[in-house]
Amino acid sequence: MIRTRLEMAGYETHTARTGVEALKRVLELKPQGLVLDINMPELDGFGVLTALRARPELKFPPTLMLTARHAPDDVRRAVALGAKDYLTKPFNESQLLARVARLLRPPIPPAAPAPLTPLALRKDDLLL
């Protein structure tokens, strides 16, 4: 269902059934983003994130954890390992599409600070 909905929204998708397969596919496809479940056979989502972090030559794809696990410790661990977002099941399609769009949006560069201009104050002016 997730793949179908993302493809209907115009995303090119690839799937993996296990964490080991997911890691191999990330290494070969170098995707722009990654949607991971924590509960996967062979290697869980935390293991995939850990393995990706251990590969400094690989550009770590922005990752959305999409899982039935909603314990605060799971959320903290996923974020600490590099996940950019965390969505729990059940979810609705609009949540999924909004989160994926945000995940793939290019970062906005910080705005340059406005130049400071001297203020002309009279003797009785007070600036707070």
Side-chain angles (χ1 to χ4, degrees):
M1 192 247 349
I2 295 169
R3 180 181 189 173
T4 300
R5 188 60 193 109
L6 290 172
E7 287 178 347
M8 287 174 54
Y11 294 102
E12 180 181 340
T13 64
H14 304 273
T15 59
R17 297 197 182 277
T18 70
V20 171
E21 184 182 352
L23 186 57
K24 287 178 186 175
R25 305 263 334 213
V26 168
L27 296 174
E28 72 185 34
L29 296 171
K30 297 176 182 45
Q32 293 178 356
L34 184 61
V35 177
L36 264 184
D37 197 339
I38 293 174
N39 299 320
M40 294 187 292
E42 295 179 19
L43 183 66
D44 67 12
F46 296 131
V48 172
L49 290 174
T50 300
L52 289 173
R53 285 182 63 152
R55 305 284 302 259
E57 77 280 4
L58 179 69
K59 184 177 182 277
F60 194 100
T63 302
L64 166 66
M65 297 302 284
L66 179 62
T67 183
R69 292 172 57 165
H70 55 74
D73 287 343
D74 290 333
V75 177
R76 279 191 288 276
R77 184 174 177 197
V79 170
L81 289 171
K84 298 289 185 215
D85 203 352
Y86 197 100
L87 180 61
T88 57
K89 298 173 188 175
F91 57 89
N92 64 48
E93 289 182 17
S94 62
Q95 286 176 307
L96 173 66
L97 294 176
R99 300 288 184 93
V100 169
R102 183 173 65 192
L103 186 74
L104 298 177
R105 185 173 42 219
I108 299 170
L116 296 176
T117 56
L119 297 174
L121 299 177
R122 294 182 314 248
K123 181 179 174 196
D124 295 332
D125 285 343
L126 179 61
L127 181 65
L128 299 176

